[in-house]
Amino acid sequence: MAIITALLISSLLIFSVPFPANALSLNYYDETCPGAEAIITKAVKEATTSDKKVPAALLRMHFHDCFIRVDNQGCDASILLSSVGKNTAEKDGPPNVSLHAFYVIHDAKKQIEALCPGVVSCADILALAARDSVALSGGPTWDVPKGRKDGRISKASETIQMPAPTFNLSQLQQSFSQRGLSMDDLVALSGGHTLGFAHCSSFRNRIHFFNTTHDIDPSLHPSFAASLKSICPINNKMKNAGTTMDPSSTTFDNTYFKLILQRKSLFSSDQALLTSPKTKDLVSKFASSQKAFSKAFVKSMIKMSSITGGQEVRKDCNMVN
Ligand code: HEM
Ligand SMILES: *[C@@H]1O[C@H](CO)[C@@H](O)[C@H](O)[C@H]1NC(C)=O
Ligand SMILES: *[C@@H]1O[C@H](CO)[C@@H](O)[C@H](O)[C@H]1NC(C)=O
Ligand SMILES: *[C@@H]1O[C@H](CO)[C@@H](O)[C@H](O)[C@H]1NC(C)=O
């Protein structure tokens, strides 16, 4: 009986946790590869010197890595895998328009492999590079818990599990809670939109045929909506048309929250943060305190980047071992 119960419990565990979380710690590579973090920081810095768009790209790449797949392999560097044979990988999936700068991770990995082969996971390199990207942009810095393993599965068909910019608050809440993240995490992490660029396709729903009674989303500031319409006309043919999300600076700061209050944020999913009293209060708090935002962002980043479930340390971030 005890054996049967034990078998039952263990099989239940196996089914409910198909990819057990990796045990993370701050000193994970202290003995095995103490030089890794400095290599990553240098790689991010050098890449940013020649391309100012790198930090935004790496922060978003890490977010996508952690979020694709609700069954929680989480931050497992699946976003870095190349398509092989008939399998189209995540990075070649539909919402990939702004994913770029993969080379920064591959460069860092090559240098780290030369120093300590087979030790440092691609998922850890990406988590550290995201941290460095925020710090390098003038935002907060923090110690990243390490020990993530890399996953062996990457499917373009699963990128539809990403939250969409057209989502309302209840859809966003659901998407975050499926990954063990709260409404507080949602508001704080959305502050990542202080960096980077959005293409017209990501906000066109708000400026053309919004609904049957309004052509433009009335929650958009009118003159801001007009400027978006001129950047993104209905018959827009420019593939790369769009705008930076925080036009005032490339600094990682709390301007994103000020823009939401001014009704000048780009996505429905940004504006949606004003549609519940709890999230609205947080937006106001972060808009008036850079310090409160930084503190909350760090806490939620550590939480998001601890969603793990990979199985190996890849030798080459492009392909499984
Ligand atoms: C809450 C749900 C989220 C939605 C619906 C969302 C959606 C989007 C969309 C549509 C874009 C623009 C893509 C394009 O048009 O090129 C974007 C860009 C970006 N997102 Fe998010 N995002 C979310 C959360 C996050 C989080 C949690 C982070 C990081 C902490 C983040 C960081 C970024 C960054 C840095 C960019 C700019 C990328 C670049 O310029 O290369 N986003 N996001
Ligand atoms: C995005 O996906 C398309 C196919 O959907 C692919 O051709 C393209 O290479 C991908 N872009 C990146 C940056 O991976
Ligand atoms: C959010 O969107 C979903 C799907 O379109 C819809 O079912 C739901 O009623 C919406 N919620 C709110 C509060 O508007
Ligand atoms: C269109 O959107 C506005 C603002 O959200 C809303 O007040 C209006 O009722 C909507 N119209 C329809 C037909 O849904």
Short mmCIF file of all heavy atoms in Angstrom, two decimals, residues 167-171, ligand 3:
data_model
loop_
_atom_site.label_atom_id
_atom_site.label_comp_id
_atom_site.label_asym_id
_atom_site.label_seq_id
_atom_site.Cartn_x
_atom_site.Cartn_y
_atom_site.Cartn_z
N PHE A 167 -4.07 43.24 -25.32
CA PHE A 167 -4.71 42.64 -24.14
C PHE A 167 -5.30 43.68 -23.20
O PHE A 167 -4.73 44.76 -23.01
CB PHE A 167 -3.69 41.80 -23.35
CG PHE A 167 -3.56 40.36 -23.80
CD1 PHE A 167 -4.09 39.94 -25.02
CD2 PHE A 167 -2.90 39.43 -23.01
CE1 PHE A 167 -3.96 38.61 -25.42
CE2 PHE A 167 -2.78 38.10 -23.40
CZ PHE A 167 -3.31 37.69 -24.61
N ASN A 168 -6.44 43.32 -22.59
CA ASN A 168 -6.98 44.14 -21.50
C ASN A 168 -6.41 43.61 -20.17
O ASN A 168 -5.66 42.64 -20.15
CB ASN A 168 -8.52 44.16 -21.55
CG ASN A 168 -9.13 42.78 -21.33
OD1 ASN A 168 -8.53 41.93 -20.65
ND2 ASN A 168 -10.30 42.55 -21.90
N LEU A 169 -6.81 44.28 -19.09
CA LEU A 169 -6.18 43.95 -17.81
C LEU A 169 -6.44 42.52 -17.36
O LEU A 169 -5.54 41.86 -16.83
CB LEU A 169 -6.64 44.95 -16.73
CG LEU A 169 -5.85 44.89 -15.42
CD1 LEU A 169 -4.37 45.22 -15.64
CD2 LEU A 169 -6.44 45.85 -14.40
N SER A 170 -7.66 42.02 -17.60
CA SER A 170 -7.91 40.65 -17.12
C SER A 170 -7.11 39.63 -17.94
O SER A 170 -6.65 38.62 -17.39
CB SER A 170 -9.40 40.32 -17.08
OG SER A 170 -10.03 40.73 -18.25
N GLN A 171 -6.90 39.90 -19.21
CA GLN A 171 -6.06 38.99 -20.02
C GLN A 171 -4.61 39.06 -19.56
O GLN A 171 -3.92 38.04 -19.49
CB GLN A 171 -6.17 39.37 -21.50
CG GLN A 171 -7.55 39.12 -22.10
CD GLN A 171 -7.66 39.72 -23.49
OE1 GLN A 171 -7.50 40.93 -23.67
NE2 GLN A 171 -7.92 38.90 -24.49
C1 LIG B 3 -11.03 41.37 -21.82
O1 LIG B 3 -10.99 40.71 -23.06
C2 LIG B 3 -11.60 39.44 -23.06
C3 LIG B 3 -11.32 38.77 -24.39
O2 LIG B 3 -11.63 39.62 -25.45
C4 LIG B 3 -13.09 39.61 -22.76
O3 LIG B 3 -13.73 38.36 -22.74
C5 LIG B 3 -13.26 40.30 -21.43
O4 LIG B 3 -14.62 40.58 -21.20
C6 LIG B 3 -12.47 41.60 -21.38
N1 LIG B 3 -12.49 42.12 -20.03
C7 LIG B 3 -12.75 43.39 -19.74
C8 LIG B 3 -12.72 43.76 -18.31
O5 LIG B 3 -12.96 44.21 -20.62
#
